[in-house]
Amino acid sequence: MGTQSDIKLIDENGLRLDGRSAGDLRPIRIEAGVLERADGSAMIEWGGNKIVVAVYGPREAYPKHNQDINRAIVKARYNMAAFSVDERKRPGPDRRSIEISKVLSEALSAAIMVEQFPRAQIDVFIEVLQADAGTRIAGLTASSVAIADAGIPMRDFVTGCTAGKVDGKVVLDLSKEEDNFGQADLPVAVLPKSGKIVLMQMDGDLSVEEFDTATSMIMNAIPRINEIQRNALSSRVKVEGGGGE
Amino acid sequence: MGTQSDIKLIDENGLRLDGRSAGDLRPIRIEAGVLERADGSAMIEWGGNKIVVAVYGPREAYPKHNQDINRAIVKARYNMAAFSVDERKRPGPDRRSIEISKVLSEALSAAIMVEQFPRAQIDVFIEVLQADAGTRIAGLTASSVAIADAGIPMRDFVTGCTAGKVDGKVVLDLSKEEDNFGQADLPVAVLPKSGKIVLMQMDGDLSVEEFDTATSMIMNAIPRINEIQRNALSSRVKVEGGGGE
Amino acid sequence: MGTQSDIKLIDENGLRLDGRSAGDLRPIRIEAGVLERADGSAMIEWGGNKIVVAVYGPREAYPKHNQDINRAIVKARYNMAAFSVDERKRPGPDRRSIEISKVLSEALSAAIMVEQFPRAQIDVFIEVLQADAGTRIAGLTASSVAIADAGIPMRDFVTGCTAGKVDGKVVLDLSKEEDNFGQADLPVAVLPKSGKIVLMQMDGDLSVEEFDTATSMIMNAIPRINEIQRNALSSRVKVEGGGGE
Amino acid sequence: MPRDELGILSEIKKGYILRQLKEGKRGDGRTPDQFRSAEIKIDYVKRAPGSAYVELGKTRIVAGVKVEAGSPFPDTPNQGVLTTNVELLPMAFPTFEAGPPNESAIEVARVVDRGIRESKMIDLEALVIEPAQKVWIVFIDIDVLDFDGNLIDACTLGAVAALRSAVVNGSAAGKEDFRLPVRNTPVSVTMVKIGDNIVVDPDLEEEQISQARITVSTTEDGRIRAMQKGDNGWFTLDEIKKAISTSIDVGKQLREKYLK
Amino acid sequence: MPRDELGILSEIKKGYILRQLKEGKRGDGRTPDQFRSAEIKIDYVKRAPGSAYVELGKTRIVAGVKVEAGSPFPDTPNQGVLTTNVELLPMAFPTFEAGPPNESAIEVARVVDRGIRESKMIDLEALVIEPAQKVWIVFIDIDVLDFDGNLIDACTLGAVAALRSAVVNGSAAGKEDFRLPVRNTPVSVTMVKIGDNIVVDPDLEEEQISQARITVSTTEDGRIRAMQKGDNGWFTLDEIKKAISTSIDVGKQLREKYLK
Amino acid sequence: MPRDELGILSEIKKGYILRQLKEGKRGDGRTPDQFRSAEIKIDYVKRAPGSAYVELGKTRIVAGVKVEAGSPFPDTPNQGVLTTNVELLPMAFPTFEAGPPNESAIEVARVVDRGIRESKMIDLEALVIEPAQKVWIVFIDIDVLDFDGNLIDACTLGAVAALRSAVVNGSAAGKEDFRLPVRNTPVSVTMVKIGDNIVVDPDLEEEQISQARITVSTTEDGRIRAMQKGDNGWFTLDEIKKAISTSIDVGKQLREKYLK
């Protein structure tokens, strides 16, 4: 987690810089079917994040020696556009994006009925056009909409959210400033029907009690985010959350 | 095109730094069959350019999934030797040489009877030993001699020439200084029998009228250059152009 | 060879910085079977060198177009750990390690009965954990123990040693300082039964007479080093050489 | 660019398109000289000083402009630096692959770059902070999200729109925010040859069956700034001259509609 | 990590392991919460200021710490730099390949790095030589020689032991030799889920048949500093909570035994 | 180097060559100790301060020397820098591939480099412009255009001839043009073993059927400066000693003929 700062991130009323309370989400908007060529696609705007996801497949895995004779391979590729962050990002994968691609692939594999597509590959391309904290979770949440849009059978959605610690307080869905100057970041993704955890990473400093509070907040938010996913697929668009007054 | 300069590139008599008139070519010399291992080869000296070309093929395209079942793939590889330019060039392809290789491949594909060699590949390796403006055109002009030397059937030669604008005046076959300090560069290659244009690039600043003048000059020079190509194949060597008095 | 230095590397009694005489070896210790996964393995400590070697194979050569239908391919990969030298070494092969890998592969090919394993590949991974002059020879000497440990049939061991010139005098088995400030370095490896030379490199400045002295010293040391190799395979460990008093 | 890789265009369909073209008709009802209508959203990416989203048919790209302080090239100590990169994202087409730009992506980037550079749209001399030491580096990065033909023109439109709208944070040079020194408005117009017909702004189907491509970049003064012939076919000189004149005409329309 | 690539684990064997686990027994006789006994040799490589050889089961790694003077990152001018690299050497397993670190090697390195970085084990502020100009760069490089499961914990143990024992040559900054400014002792504990059972410190066989992996890094104050869930399976929240408590307990034992 | 990759050498031909060699005859009529006659053109490339074209049999190479001002290596602050690169161009042989130098190209470059470096042909101490700050960097780049055996000697001849003839533009250091400080004339002589015969300057056919290769680089004082044994075969010590003496003799002839 980032360095200390003099900025007070939570005011005396418990409100955050953008006016949210501890348990509030930023506005989330998902649209499915935004691309022509891809088999499935989705665009998500989550706070200041703007991420487009395209799905191709199931198609024959290539090269052949990578094929799994029992199930489809899910390959997520998380990538940040050069202009998506304040300082220009050099094109191409770095160690961070390779790790994120790995954990996103694993999380999606748990939801997709991979056993129906032996020897196949499902590609999920996640392009971050504008980054604003929580990109992996936002990209993953959009990915399961794009996979559904592609007509690929899933046991359930994958729905994610982060919590973290800011000014010593556990809060939901960190903003960029909270991520930069906070004390912990905990991205989690679940299968919302069962609450099974398919992605969890943490860095920072949390006591066991703080961890419990953070995961409660996340579990509490998951149904709201999943509803936005469902609505996107019913080709409706809904704006959720936003502001804490 | 390059930056402005105080050098006067054309004198009061309309003569250029090397004494040529606007429509004069630099000396050109082509020799075919200069290498042992290649299936066909040629060396061209054009002004201060010194370029060797080797052709291999038709041979089976590799990897196989690149094969075209209807025709041969033509792969030109334009490369500058580390010592070919004033400042040492790092070995290996850069973006410029990759683009040039692409347009040269396309120009040669238009001339070679590619439909006679399904699934095959024809490699044309163009090594610039000494660069002096107009290397792509010189390399391309030598390439069709090397392809003929390899016995690969062609509809016609590919014959190229550049024109450009210097001190506001349209001239043929830019020299290094004219290329560096001129206002436009227009490399063109044609099938000389029909005048069909198979390569054309331009950068700089040309009016429509200037473009017409430039292409007239080029079309005018093409038969002279093609004659040098033909002579090289009749295993004779001829020096053309040179000086403008 | 390195630059001149003011350090006197050989004293008035003919003794070297570490107390050895001209023909003395540094202490050598080899242990076979040190790794679980590899088909064969060995660890060598030779002076301050600490090198581990793992052997995999014979296994099918991959990719297939690399296969030799008459014999096994031997691929040694010499690699220095980032922490093995004074200044951190960037991970990955450099030109030096690629050349060393080539000459080690060739030396081992001369000893292994490669004709018994057509289409196969034998991988020999040589990891230098701590470097102290003579790493290629130490790694090669350990390699033939690891190959024997893997049960791969060999005509003979490969046994190596270096000689060099220090303060104008020919000496055996250069130390780090002698390598840095000496006038010649001559690594040699032989099949000890026959004395056939399978690796020889030299750099520096040697007269023909000095070369003869150096190779005599090496040939003289080979049986002692080979005995340590043999002992390692008899699952005994022996310390040889060390000190010159 | 991929040629008929989808296998969706049978010979029958090719014949149909050709017959239609002979009558001056195109698959989507356009005339040969007609550009598709485009949608351009500037300031699409807030973190970039300049950006634009362009939809041309179903071709979708995002162009972002970043401006950072850095060193000039040794041979142009008194000029800022301009660099253009195009990413043909694997999401944009089934056969596009992840990895460093291939020859197609490099060609698109270099043709876009030449149109902008040779028109002298950006006054690079005005981007010097300290001569020979520190200049502004203008990075144009373009993400291709969806591919439906004519990338060069879509990317040029996006890059030019992003440059025109950019507001640069000057603090890295101790200066106020500033707009890029824009002098003119280059536009590229790309045409392909199908049989004996030449059509403007080809869509994916047209690109897949065309023999040759020509791009002409012009400025509002009607001057030619860059050209690029592509693909394995050929043009006659007359066809090229006609293409230049079409480019000047269509370029005017595009400037009028999208870049005022 | 490779999953059953050796083909040595038949379905029969899997069933056997599962039945055994139901009775709380593991292949090598350990209880589910039991770490294998490790061997750690510090100062294993004399040319590195800090180093450690770790043997955990038959997993064997060497961690080396190098410290060099260099430039700080622009956004943290008042901090030293910490960097962690793990090489899955091809000698360590039949299917490991030479080349730059793949996604598995990168994940191990980044999880090890996070445990150390987020615990603030090394006081990076104390590693500044000249603010914004020159700081100490701490390179943690780990060679994996032999692979028998649970690389993350073996590598974390090695890295922490090497950092704790390092004595840095200060001459590059005109200073005396010094120890790294160590503030605490992070330990990672990794568990995998096999059927409904969760076991600590999996060996190779257990990793190959497990569905999901969870790593929890803690410090001696019982606080969580880093976590990573891996593999295609899932955990319930209760399983995670149990894993955290196990990690704190086992972490204490490891610190007591190996990092005093 | 490729070994019989053309498939042109049947076992019958091999047998024939061997029988001929037993009688001291080679395919092109040379004696075992005879070098092919070479053609060397210096100043072949005008843009390089030094250059040479070498034809040895049908092996054709161009060596170019560039000299640029740059930083010295930290551990040799009072020396210029010498670097040698060899490109086995795909034009030179059917199986040579484009791309970064492979192990064969690297070996050739390093053996050529060692012969020049260890003979101290170039006085690197004389190439310092400002100690520890700025030195002359000598780049030797070699293009292999056509491959007919014995690259090491062809490349060494070309590199040495180019270095001897180089006239450097001194303006980058505010100096006059100057010749490189050349102290002696290293020559490499390469031999291969075919059966029990050792032949000098092998051509392609001989390289393809040989078991082992030895290169010895010497200076005019008859001293050995670099050696390299290559390929999967072996030499006896006596064979090596004979090769050294041959190298000294042949080296004298080469210096006399081509490097006066």
Side-chain angles (χ1 to χ4, degrees), chain C residues 50-142:
Chain C
K50 202 175 252 181
I51 301 169
V52 57
V53 179
V55 173
Y56 283 89
R59 49 187 180 183
E60 196 188 8
Y62 185 82
K64 288 204 170 188
H65 62 80
N66 281 356
Q67 295 183 352
D68 183 326
I69 56 165
N70 294 315
R71 58 188 70 78
I73 298 164
V74 178
K75 288 190 78 169
R77 180 180 180 265
Y78 167 98
N79 188 57
M80 301 191 94
F83 45 74
S84 65
V85 282
D86 283 337
E87 197 179 346
R88 177 181 186 258
K89 199 203 152 289
R90 277 173 70 99
D94 54 18
R95 292 168 67 93
R96 174 180 170 273
S97 68
I98 290 170
E99 186 200 354
I100 292 177
S101 296
K102 182 173 193 287
V103 295
L104 298 188
S105 300
E106 292 168 345
L108 293 170
S109 295
I112 295 172
M113 294 186 172
V114 288
E115 61 284 356
Q116 294 188 8
F117 306 102
R119 302 189 180 283
Q121 176 168 324
I122 295 166
D123 288 297
V124 182
F125 300 111
I126 300 160
E127 184 76 4
V128 178
L129 298 173
Q130 187 169 288
D132 189 39
T135 54
R136 78 191 67 184
I137 281 304
L140 181 57
T141 298

Side-chain angles (χ1 to χ4, degrees), chain F:
Chain F
M1 293 300 96
R3 304 188 66 76
D4 201 3
E5 278 160 338
L6 292 172
I8 49 171
L9 287 172
S10 62
E11 286 299 316
I12 294 163
K13 196 163 187 191
K14 271 193 213 178
Y16 176 75
I17 293 178
L18 270 169
R19 279 196 305 279
Q20 290 283 96
L21 272 176
K22 267 185 200 149
E23 303 172 22
K25 292 182 197 161
R26 297 168 75 177
D28 55 5
R30 286 186 286 158
T31 65
D33 283 2
Q34 199 178 339
F35 221 81
R36 289 173 287 185
S37 74
E39 186 189 352
I40 302 187
K41 297 181 198 166
I42 60 168
D43 293 333
Y44 186 74
V45 177
K46 306 296 183 218
R47 291 202 186 279
S51 64
Y53 169 88
V54 176
E55 207 171 294
L56 178 60
K58 296 299 182 190
T59 288
R60 294 177 168 97
I61 68 104
V62 180
V65 168
K66 289 274 183 191
V67 183
E68 297 181 358
S71 303
F73 286 116
D75 53 340
T76 51
N78 295 311
Q79 293 191 10
V81 172
L82 181 74
T83 150
T84 306
N85 187 53
V86 170
E87 298 281 318
L88 298 186
L89 296 177
M91 68 168 45
F93 200 73
T95 59
F96 288 0
E97 289 177 12
N102 65 6
E103 59 171 27
S104 292
I106 288 172
E107 187 187 25
V108 173
R110 286 179 61 88
V111 175
V112 171
D113 184 274
R114 273 207 289 276
I116 292 167
R117 182 182 306 280
E118 298 299 334
S119 69
K120 305 194 189 299
M121 174 188 180
I122 306 296
D123 181 2
L124 294 180
E125 271 88 7
L127 292 180
V128 176
I129 303 170
E130 193 183 338
Q133 296 299 319
K134 209 174 173 185
V135 300
W136 292 108
I137 301 176
V138 179
F139 293 97
I140 304 172
D141 284 287
I142 303 174
D143 261 19
V144 176
L145 307 179
D146 214 353
F147 174 48
D148 188 31
N150 198 8
L151 286 180
I152 292 175
D153 295 352
C155 292
T156 299
L157 273 176
V160 169
L163 288 168
R164 283 164 52 96
S165 63
V167 177
V168 183
N169 181 334
S171 65
K175 302 202 169 158
E176 310 225 318
D177 293 358
F178 62 95
R179 288 190 161 274
L180 286 177
V182 168
R183 295 196 282 210
N184 58 23
T185 307
V187 171
S188 75
V189 176
T190 295
M191 291 145 275
V192 297
K193 183 169 168 180
I194 302 174
D196 289 330
N197 314 281
I198 290 180
V199 299
V200 164
D201 179 27
D203 65 18
L204 180 61
E205 281 193 356
E206 289 170 339
E207 276 196 6
Q208 285 176 334
I209 63 166
S210 70
Q211 302 106 270
R213 187 189 73 228
I214 181 81
T215 299
V216 183
S217 297
T218 58
T219 36
E220 48 265 68
D221 52 12
R223 302 183 70 89
I224 314 165
R225 303 304 188 136
M227 295 178 65
Q228 179 89 341
K229 181 258 164 188
D231 294 344
N232 293 354
W234 46 268
F235 291 99
T236 65
L237 183 53
D238 283 345
E239 287 171 338
I240 298 273
K241 288 182 180 178
K242 174 72 172 54
I244 290 172
S245 125
T246 303
S247 169
I248 293 171
D249 292 346
V250 175
K252 265 181 206 150
Q253 301 164 23
L254 293 177
R255 250 176 240 111
E256 188 67 28
K257 264 175 108 164
Y258 305 115
L259 300 167
K260 285 207 75 163

Side-chain angles (χ1 to χ4, degrees), chain C residues 40 80 107 124 175 220 239 243:
Chain C
M80 301 191 94
V124 182
S175 70
N220 197 16
V239 181

Side-chain angles (χ1 to χ4, degrees), chain D residues 2 4-5 8 16 24 29 38 58 65 81 93 106 114 124 134 141 155 174 188 190 194 225 229 234 243 245 247:
Chain D
D4 201 4
E5 277 160 338
I8 49 171
Y16 176 75
K58 296 299 183 192
V65 168
V81 173
F93 200 73
I106 288 172
R114 273 207 289 277
L124 294 179
K134 209 174 174 185
D141 284 287
C155 291
S188 75
T190 295
I194 302 173
R225 304 303 188 136
K229 181 259 166 188
W234 46 267
S245 123
S247 169

Side-chain angles (χ1 to χ4, degrees), chain D residues 139-151:
Chain D
F139 293 97
I140 304 173
D141 284 287
I142 302 174
D143 261 19
V144 175
L145 307 178
D146 214 353
F147 175 48
D148 188 30
N150 198 7
L151 285 180

